[in-house]
Amino acid sequence: MKAIRRFTVRPLLPEPLRPLSDLSRNLRWSWHAETRDLFQSVDPERWALCDGDPVRLLGSVRPARLAELAEDRRFLRRLAAAADDLHDYRTGDRWYQEQPASAGLPAAIAYFSPEFGVTAALPQYSGGLGILAGDHLKAASDLGVPLIGVGLLYRHGYFRQTLSREGWQQEHYPVLDPNELPVTLLREDDGAPARVSLALPGGKRLHARVWLAQVGRVPLLMLDSDVEENDLGERGVTDRLYGGGSEHRLLQEMLLGIGGVRAVRTYCRLTGHARPEVFHTNEGHAGFLGLERIAELADEGLDFDAALEAVRAGTVFTTHTPVPAGIDRFDRALVARHFGPDAELPRMDVDRILRLGMETYPGGEPNLFNMAVMGLRLAQRANGVSLLHGHVSREMFSGLWPGFDPDEVPITSVTNGVHAPTWVAPEVLRLGARQIGAERAEDALSVGGSERWDAVADIPDQDIWELRRDLREQLVVEVRERLRASWRQRGAGTAELGWIDGVLDPDVLTIGFARRVPSYKRLTLMLRDRDRLKDLLLHPERPIQIVVAGKAHPADDGGKRLVQELVRFTDDPRVRHRIVFLPDYGMAMAQKLYPGCDIWLNNPLRPLEACGTSGMKAALNGCLNLSVLDGWWDEWFQPDFGWAIPTADGAGTDPDHRDDVEAAALYDLLEQRITPRFYERGQAGLPDRWIEMVRRTLGLLGPKVLAGRMVREYVERLYTPAAHAHRTMAPDTARELARWKQQVRASWHAVRVDHVETSVATTTAELGTALALRVRVGLGDLTPDDVEVQAVSGRVDEEDRITDASTVPLKPTGGPDLEGRWVYEGPLSLDRTGPFGYTVRILPSHRLLASGAELGLVEVPSEEAAEGAGVLLR
């Protein structure tokens, strides 16, 4: 019989145990071992049944046990210590508060993301983007950065994955009751739930409540449309992550961006939290936040162009995709229907909104609205998530800055990091604490600092090897439990599953491969030569074993076929004790998988991995990486840390041939270099060379891959400059900049380079020679204050393209003449040998521009103007 209404009945905690409620509602417990240990001691058996979720634990523990604990003086002392520690953590000064006032750090930053992977107890993530966002919040909390997270609360999360008997992925969407999650409702002063709403076409409204998840010091606001005021369709807007059709996704992204800004304003009003000076858009999904902020400024008297400049100054946009297909794009007519007089932001010109998302570059689709393009146009600062991804992003979006080489496109990079206290196994942390002390070990994981990590060099080989074997053994136990549960879901009876007790061996080299399953990640590359893989798995002296996990998107049948292909291979009785596929990959599984593996495998199509942080998490546990040189591995790979899989990514390479070549390279590495090193033993009976690689991975790579390092880079390189720009952009300043840009755009057609002269007439010159450049330019209605004339020089390739350009500004020395031309002069030093070239160009220039490329305007010499200029020197 089905209940007609559902309630959540919570126990009344005895007064001495009331701090347990606060501890359970602050998600710091998800990365703070002492707090988790405290909750486990409440009821160890029930703690395991609740999957380590304190809220579920307190909702199910017996009243008699609570009464017993209320009288337990030792437990109450531990509880008081944990509560005091959380209070100190939340209120004490940390890295951010210790920075000098002269640094001008932002008062607050709002961080928007469509998903957040903070803990398995709050399943609001699908993969790397969400886990990265969760790690960003946790690292910001550890550093004391005044961040406010903004997302959606999905009633079904992403999906739970099981397998059919035939190995086909099946999706399940369990309902999540917010009252049973570690979140609380944001309430008005009178106790009523705080609400935000959006106008919809046809006079309807989309209402949402705001739930608050406290992530250490950082509040995470999550909007939920499943409220009684909404019609059935609107209630389902936040039903599931990345579900539904185009209009459904558009409404989710409008609620996240526009509703999210309104939720932040409400939260700051109710709590007194500082209003954000900087807004960070984590991928394009939240891009509409810029429109809401423009509308706010319009209400204060700014026109659209001035408001746009003010909004851009304080906005940071991070792109995570290396391929155009990964970007959300909507039909322009659909977007137009949801804005304007009859819908949301009624006082804003719909054509201006649509222009923000137009793909105005060669190959662009004129009838589509591109969320990443809008994100870039609404942000003065943008970044990719690894050094290589920054390069890929500049290439991919270079059409938005015509006339500029990709290297000059204003998209930088901040390489992702991972939150070590979340991902490092307790056993690894205890070994570090034994070496340098618990407090210093905790600081090394959260704050970083290579001097703390140097202590890894002093840990005895025996201790490292015993730790690695212990973690491997724990993984074997975990895999067998999960595999048995999976086979039961597939319909197998207990009598069929005796073989699972022999799956994996704690003394065999263990390889992990776990991630989402789009085609470019090549889940099945390892199956390219199945006989060769079987030989590796079953080698009599140097066997390997592989643990694989991953989810395909529910609409991706191609990805599901890859999963099924791998599952069918792992079902083979000849190899199933050496290779397994575990369904329902998520945070809880990952926290066991990373520490227990010796090798972390990653074989995407280069350069389609934006960053690939799973290998970072593995490395922090002493697991070595075996990866294609893509994402972060391209940036930090050294032979000390693991192995690089050679790639066959030439422009004309056939995809099948490429996969054959790269799979063969993978097998070669395993056969010839990796397994011999793992199994060879030194005089003490230990794999000395392997242990040294583990030591170097921990000591040298560890400090680099921390989310604390990543967040400090965001603060120093992006958030603080954005805050300074925001403060500079007062209303009159914003109007001035907007007027200046309009004038420059309107006058740029008349800007030209008329003539270039140089003091060297030959095509050869000696190193160290200084050329005198003289350039005549026409500026039309502009003046030298509006532009910068530059000499651009450097080595040239076979096609006379400048490949390592450096720029020198030239100075006006005369003009305007009767024809309105100006003369610019300056020296050009020949500081490199070999083929050398130069050109000149004119760029817009203003004190408030973050980059000379910002307007996408540049003028270079025509062929006629360049004649006789000595353009190439050899």
Side-chain angles (χ1 to χ4, degrees):
M1 186 178 298
K2 189 173 181 179
I4 62 171
R5 192 170 179 187
R6 177 184 175 129
F7 295 90
T8 297
V9 182
R10 290 179 175 157
L12 181 63
L13 291 173
E15 186 61 35
L17 301 183
R18 290 292 173 86
L20 282 174
S21 179
D22 293 334
L23 288 171
S24 72
R25 294 287 167 180
N26 190 305
L27 294 175
R28 187 195 180 213
W29 61 256
S30 68
W31 72 90
H32 191 247
E34 288 84 351
T35 306
R36 290 199 305 275
D37 291 345
L38 176 73
F39 279 112
Q40 183 177 25
S41 69
V42 169
D43 189 331
E45 216 173 286
R46 208 168 289 274
W47 174 255
L49 291 172
C50 293
D51 297 321
D53 179 350
V55 173
R56 288 172 58 195
L57 173 75
L58 294 181
S60 62
V61 70
R62 294 174 295 107
R65 175 58 177 161
L66 294 176
E68 181 184 324
L69 288 172
E71 302 293 330
D72 186 333
R73 294 174 63 183
R74 183 171 178 275
F75 181 84
L76 293 178
R77 284 196 299 271
R78 291 178 65 197
L79 176 57
D84 289 344
D85 182 74
L86 178 61
H87 178 266
D88 292 344
Y89 174 86
R90 292 191 61 183
T91 59
D93 286 351
R94 303 190 73 81
W95 171 82
Y96 198 85
Q97 288 70 37
E98 292 167 355
Q99 302 310 299
S102 59
L105 302 180
I109 304 107
Y111 179 88
F112 287 63
S113 179
E115 50 176 304
F116 285 92
V118 180
T119 167
L122 189 61
Q124 301 292 310
Y125 61 92
S126 72
L129 179 69
I131 300 298
L132 181 278
D135 282 6
H136 196 108
L137 297 194
K138 288 182 274 190
S141 174
D142 290 341
L143 295 170
V145 179
L147 211 68
I148 302 173
V150 185
L152 301 179
L153 184 70
Y154 304 97
R155 285 306 181 95
H156 297 277
Y158 189 42
F159 70 89
R160 303 296 300 271
Q161 177 198 45
T162 59
L163 300 173
S164 71
R165 187 77 188 211
E166 295 72 34
W168 187 255
Q169 172 179 299
Q170 298 176 315
E171 298 90 29
H172 310 273
Y173 294 89
V175 177
L176 301 173
D177 182 351
N179 294 296
E180 296 173 359
L181 298 175
V183 296
T184 56
L185 269 177
L186 182 65
R187 296 186 179 275
E188 297 286 351
D189 293 334
D190 62 2
R195 293 275 201 275
V196 298
S197 67
L198 273 64
L200 299 179
K204 300 173 69 175
R205 297 198 71 82
L206 170 62
H207 302 275
R209 291 179 295 189
V210 183
W211 295 90
L212 171 64
Q214 195 64 44
V215 186
R217 299 168 69 115
V218 172
L220 170 58
L221 310 179
M222 309 175 81
L223 280 68
D224 167 26
S225 70
D226 190 9
V227 296
E228 292 181 358
E229 296 93 326
N230 286 331
D231 292 341
L232 188 61
E234 283 71 55
R235 292 186 73 154
V237 166
T238 56
D239 57 352
R240 60 184 63 170
L241 181 57
Y242 302 140
S246 288
E247 185 162 21
H248 189 81
R249 289 284 292 276
L250 177 65
L251 288 173
Q252 284 188 343
E253 298 186 7
M254 289 177 65
L255 183 60
L256 173 61
I258 298 170
V261 172
R262 294 171 185 173
V264 168
R265 302 306 189 209
T266 302
Y267 175 79
C268 293
R269 170 176 58 81
L270 293 172
T271 64
H273 194 289
R275 286 169 64 97
E277 294 182 284
V278 176
F279 285 75
H280 184 173
T281 308
N282 191 39
E283 239 335 318
H285 308 282
F288 289 123
L289 72 84
L291 297 182
E292 170 65 8
R293 294 175 59 218
I294 289 173
E296 288 180 329
L297 292 172
D299 290 341
E300 296 173 12
L302 286 185
D303 62 25
F304 185 96
D305 290 315
L308 173 61
E309 298 305 330
V311 166
R312 291 185 74 253
T315 303
V316 174
F317 174 73
T318 297
T319 174
H320 289 262
T321 180
V323 288
I327 297 169
D328 274 350
R329 301 155 86 202
F330 298 106
D331 186 273
R332 281 169 52 85
L334 176 64
V335 176
R337 191 164 67 85
H338 280 274
F339 287 97
D342 298 323
E344 190 49 69
L345 305 181
R347 291 185 295 280
M348 195 173 289
D349 183 352
V350 175
D351 285 339
R352 297 302 305 269
I353 293 174
L354 294 176
R355 267 183 267 164
L356 289 170
M358 282 186 66
E359 298 179 350
T360 52
Y361 45 77
E365 186 61 59
N367 292 318
L368 291 180
F369 185 92
N370 186 309
M371 294 296 289
V373 167
M374 177 177 67
L376 288 165
R377 287 183 173 137
L378 286 171
Q380 195 175 59
R381 287 162 183 83
N383 69 285
V385 291
S386 69
L387 201 62
L388 178 60
H389 181 238
H391 173 75
V392 170
S393 298
R394 288 188 289 275
E395 291 270 3
M396 186 164 74
F397 294 110
S398 61
L400 295 176
W401 290 271
F404 290 89
D405 291 339
D407 286 347
E408 295 184 289
V409 167
I411 300 175
T412 185
S413 64
V414 175
T415 302
N416 283 344
V418 297
H419 185 246
T422 296
W423 300 108
V424 170
E427 294 80 3
V428 178
L429 181 57
R430 281 197 290 269
L431 181 60
R434 202 163 72 223
Q435 193 69 23
I436 62 174
E439 188 172 333
R440 292 189 72 213
E442 189 174 324
D443 285 346
L445 295 182
S446 58
V447 180
S450 58
E451 69 283 353
R452 299 181 180 94
W453 290 81
D454 290 343
V456 173
D458 300 325
I459 300 175
D461 285 4
Q462 184 71 41
D463 290 356
I464 290 177
W465 190 240
E466 287 178 359
L467 170 68
R468 293 298 315 146
R469 207 249 178 217
D470 179 38
L471 294 171
R472 207 180 303 119
E473 190 167 35
Q474 290 184 40
L475 177 61
V476 169
V477 173
E478 179 81 8
V479 165
R480 290 174 183 174
E481 289 178 359
R482 289 180 177 273
L483 195 61
R484 185 171 282 107
S486 173
W487 272 98
R488 283 181 177 146
Q489 288 173 332
R490 294 175 70 181
T494 303
E496 300 176 73
L497 302 180
W499 61 273
I500 290 179
D501 292 333
V503 166
L504 303 191
D505 181 332
D507 292 310
V508 167
L509 172 65
T510 304
I511 299 173
F513 183 100
R515 48 191 43 87
R516 290 183 304 109
V517 190
S519 58
Y520 78 86
K521 292 183 183 281
R522 296 193 295 185
L523 173 72
T524 57
L525 186 71
M526 64 181 77
L527 303 183
R528 201 72 186 175
D529 185 336
R530 299 187 181 208
D531 290 337
R532 201 167 173 190
L533 177 59
K534 286 176 183 175
D535 289 343
L536 283 162
L537 294 167
L538 303 175
H539 193 284
E541 297 165 358
R542 299 194 300 270
I544 67 170
Q545 56 195 16
I546 307 176
V547 182
V548 185
K551 290 180 175 179
H553 187 280
D556 181 10
D557 282 350
K560 292 180 185 180
R561 280 191 289 272
L562 294 177
V563 170
Q564 185 179 48
E565 183 183 354
L566 188 75
V567 170
R568 285 178 170 171
F569 181 83
T570 65
D571 286 351
D572 185 339
R574 293 172 294 176
V575 297
R576 65 187 182 186
H577 64 299
R578 286 280 188 257
I579 181 169
V580 299
F581 181 89
L582 301 179
D584 208 29
Y585 179 50
M587 288 187 73
M589 183 193 297
Q591 286 170 318
K592 295 287 187 181
L593 189 52
Y594 297 130
C597 291
D598 301 294
I599 292 286
W600 195 256
L601 175 61
N602 189 29
N603 47 231
L605 287 173
R606 187 182 191 273
L608 301 185
E609 186 82 275
C611 186
T613 54
S614 62
M616 295 179 170
K617 297 161 194 157
L620 284 171
N621 288 282
C623 177
L624 309 183
N625 275 268
L626 169 60
S627 176
V628 165
L629 287 175
D630 201 3
W632 74 277
W633 193 236
D634 180 76
E635 190 171 340
W636 288 331
F637 162 72
Q638 291 183 25
D640 292 339
F641 308 151
W643 295 268
I645 302 171
T647 54
D649 50 5
T653 304
D654 172 77
D656 280 336
H657 176 66
R658 175 203 59 214
D659 287 355
D660 286 339
V661 169
E662 295 184 14
L666 169 61
Y667 302 137
D668 287 345
L669 283 169
L670 288 168
E671 290 170 351
Q672 300 166 20
R673 296 176 59 188
I674 297 173
T675 54
R677 182 165 296 195
F678 181 84
Y679 286 105
E680 72 180 9
R681 294 295 183 266
Q683 290 183 346
L686 299 173
D688 301 330
R689 292 203 299 159
W690 190 275
I691 293 171
E692 186 57 26
M693 291 183 74
V694 172
R695 194 191 309 280
R696 288 180 175 273
T697 292
L698 289 170
L700 300 177
L701 191 56
K704 294 183 177 182
V705 301
L706 298 180
R709 183 270 314 155
M710 171 189 72
V711 171
R712 288 199 308 272
E713 283 195 42
Y714 273 108
V715 169
E716 294 163 355
R717 294 176 48 206
L718 294 170
Y719 294 163
T720 300
H724 291 169
H726 163 78
R727 294 166 194 155
T728 301
M729 203 63 66
D732 286 346
T733 308
R735 293 186 184 98
E736 174 205 330
L737 181 59
R739 283 194 298 268
W740 177 82
K741 283 188 174 183
Q742 289 172 349
Q743 179 190 0
V744 169
R745 290 189 177 107
S747 304
W748 198 256
H749 67 279
V751 173
R752 63 192 181 279
V753 178
D754 279 340
H755 188 66
V756 182
E757 298 175 0
T758 180
S759 60
V760 174
T762 66
T763 57
T764 60
E766 294 183 354
L767 180 67
T769 300
L771 304 184
L773 289 181
R774 180 181 174 88
V775 183
R776 247 188 349 264
V777 302
L779 300 181
D781 294 332
L782 302 181
T783 73
D785 289 339
D786 299 317
V787 301
E788 182 172 283
V789 179
Q790 297 176 340
V792 184
S793 64
R795 288 193 178 87
V796 292
D797 61 16
E798 294 82 359
E799 298 179 4
D800 289 348
R801 290 177 304 209
I802 299 172
T803 57
D804 57 347
S806 59
T807 60
V808 176
L810 305 178
K811 295 182 179 179
T813 59
D817 61 17
L818 294 176
E819 297 178 0
R821 293 177 299 186
W822 298 79
V823 175
Y824 281 74
E825 294 181 349
L828 176 64
S829 176
L830 306 183
D831 56 359
R832 279 158 284 189
T833 58
F836 187 90
Y838 78 88
T839 186
V840 295
R841 67 181 181 185
I842 309 173
L843 304 175
S845 177
H846 192 282
R847 72 185 191 283
L848 296 175
L849 294 184
S851 161
E854 186 171 309
L855 274 72
L857 299 174
V858 61
E859 184 67 19
V860 296
S862 64
E863 290 185 12
E864 181 181 353
E867 282 183 9
V871 174
L872 183 65
L873 297 170
R874 295 187 184 276

